[in-house]
């Protein structure tokens, strides 16, 4: 649920209820003060941990119609992301660690080292 409580009226724009009324119905709701903070909370819902994929899927994504973004390779490791974002600053990321290949959805500002650490934690 995303709503905005007008400070002048104390009523939400979409649900037309008070903040206390919203908290009764949604006791676990978090109150944030900016769109950026709300976006970070929403992005977390789209994050998916690394999943092993086959070499063929890796090659298909690497050679897809749209070129990879942020491609980085070092020794036996490599990572890149697809250009289309899933939501906010989350996107599909692919990683290779030796002969193991992974697909995850996470923040696109992750470094290659952070991506590999997440993939290695799945082994």
């Amino acid at each position: 649920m995303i709503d905005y409580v007008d400070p002048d009226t104390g009523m939400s724009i979409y649900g037309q209820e008070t903040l206390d009324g919203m908290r009764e119905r949604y006791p676990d709701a978090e109150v944030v003060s900016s769109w950026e903070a709300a976006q970070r909370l929403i992005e977390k819902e789209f994050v998916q941990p690394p999943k092993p994929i086959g070499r063929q899927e890796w090659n298909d994504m690497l050679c897809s119609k749209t070129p990879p973004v942020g491609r980085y390779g070092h020794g036996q490791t490599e990572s890149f992301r697809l250009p289309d974002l899933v939501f906010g600053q989350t996107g599909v990321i692919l990683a290779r660690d030796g002969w193991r290949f992974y697909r995850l959805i996470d923040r696109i500002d992750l470094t290659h080292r952070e991506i590999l650490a997440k993939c290695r934690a799945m082994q």
Side-chain angles (χ1 to χ4, degrees), residues 66-111:
T66 55
V69 177
R71 187 173 180 191
Y72 182 86
H74 180 72
Q76 293 295 315
T77 65
E78 189 174 0
S79 65
F80 66 91
R81 73 174 177 82
L82 301 181
D84 297 327
L85 298 175
V86 174
F87 176 84
Q89 296 299 303
T90 59
V92 176
I93 301 170
L94 290 106
R96 177 179 66 83
D97 187 12
W99 293 105
R100 293 185 170 132
F101 303 91
Y102 301 91
R103 178 185 185 277
L104 60 148
I105 297 177
D106 213 318
R107 297 233 353 130
I108 61 171
D109 57 359
L110 290 176
T111 65

Side-chain angles (χ1 to χ4, degrees), residues 56-70:
Q56 185 61 49
E57 184 176 348
W58 164 271
N59 287 336
D60 290 347
M61 295 295 177
L62 185 60
C63 301
S64 67
K65 293 179 185 175
T66 55
V69 177

Side-chain angles (χ1 to χ4, degrees), residues 10 24 35 52 55 65 67 80 89 118-119 122:
E24 282 180 26
W35 168 245
R55 183 177 181 155
K65 293 179 185 175
F80 66 91
Q89 296 299 303
K118 287 181 178 244
C119 294
M122 301 302 294

Side-chain angles (χ1 to χ4, degrees), residues 20-38:
D20 289 336
M22 285 189 284
R23 284 188 170 150
E24 282 180 26
R25 289 191 306 132
Y26 305 101
D28 295 334
E30 295 187 44
V31 177
V32 294
S33 59
S34 70
W35 168 245
E36 290 80 16

